Amino acid sequence: MIWQTRAVIRDAIGELPPELTGGLTFHLPMEVQALEHAGADPSVVDRRVEDGITQAFAAGLVDPPLYRWAVDHYGPTASALLSADPAVRRHAFHPIRPLGEGLAGAAFHGLIRMGYASWRRDETELARGLAYLRTRRQVLNAGVVGDEIKTE
């Protein structure tokens, strides 16, 4: 029963907005996963959750523009990326390839979330990571080399 309660809490934390007011990213969902994986005592995890939630609400949590839309939009892609079928996984990379050009945004938070999601095999968290990449994307060099635009 306690494990089920912890899973519900972990999922609820994941649903919180991914940013603190001011643009810093909210890492509590990944902190909890790392602590659990490392075998931390449940009381340590509970204390970190309580402290993290208190600090986050005191600082304020915000969604980037269009973040919730992007989470829903990338749900099927996340599912395909975690498929056991290599062909399905390869095909799933095609629509998200342009996100790689914007990895300068948000200090790689989206990639970090995607890594934890892949580790946990969590489609919802993977969609959140993709959504964060999409909504905080900053293309520093959009294929311009000198005065020429690269074309493939």
Side-chain angles (χ1 to χ4, degrees):
M1 181 65 161
I2 290 175
W3 176 250
Q4 290 173 336
T5 302
R6 281 194 170 73
V8 168
I9 290 169
R10 185 176 53 240
D11 290 344
I13 292 169
E15 284 294 324
L16 292 172
E19 288 183 359
L20 301 169
T21 303
L24 295 175
T25 52
F26 180 60
H27 292 115
L28 187 59
M30 293 156 286
E31 291 176 47
V32 169
Q33 182 180 344
L35 285 168
E36 289 175 343
H37 182 75
D41 186 271
S43 66
V44 171
V45 176
D46 292 346
R47 200 167 35 256
R48 180 63 199 121
V49 167
E50 186 176 326
D51 291 348
I53 294 289
T54 301
Q55 292 167 0
F57 284 136
L61 289 166
V62 294
D63 279 339
L66 301 177
Y67 174 74
R68 297 294 165 171
W69 167 84
V71 170
D72 291 340
H73 175 77
Y74 287 113
T77 302
S79 178
L81 287 170
L82 294 176
S83 171
D85 183 342
V88 171
R89 289 194 309 266
R90 273 192 304 278
H91 183 71
F93 274 103
H94 182 71
I96 62 171
R97 185 173 176 211
L99 296 178
E101 296 171 358
L103 290 180
F108 298 97
H109 180 72
L111 281 181
I112 294 167
R113 285 192 90 138
M114 290 173 61
Y116 273 85
S118 297
W119 179 29
R120 199 165 73 202
R121 313 270 320 144
D122 183 334
E123 292 176 16
T124 304
E125 185 64 20
L126 186 54
R128 290 179 191 129
L130 289 166
Y132 200 78
L133 284 178
R134 171 74 179 266
T135 59
R136 284 299 186 220
R137 168 172 203 270
Q138 290 178 312
V139 178
L140 298 180
N141 180 351
V144 178
V145 179
D147 292 334
E148 298 180 311
I149 297 176
K150 278 194 317 189
T151 58
E152 294 184 41

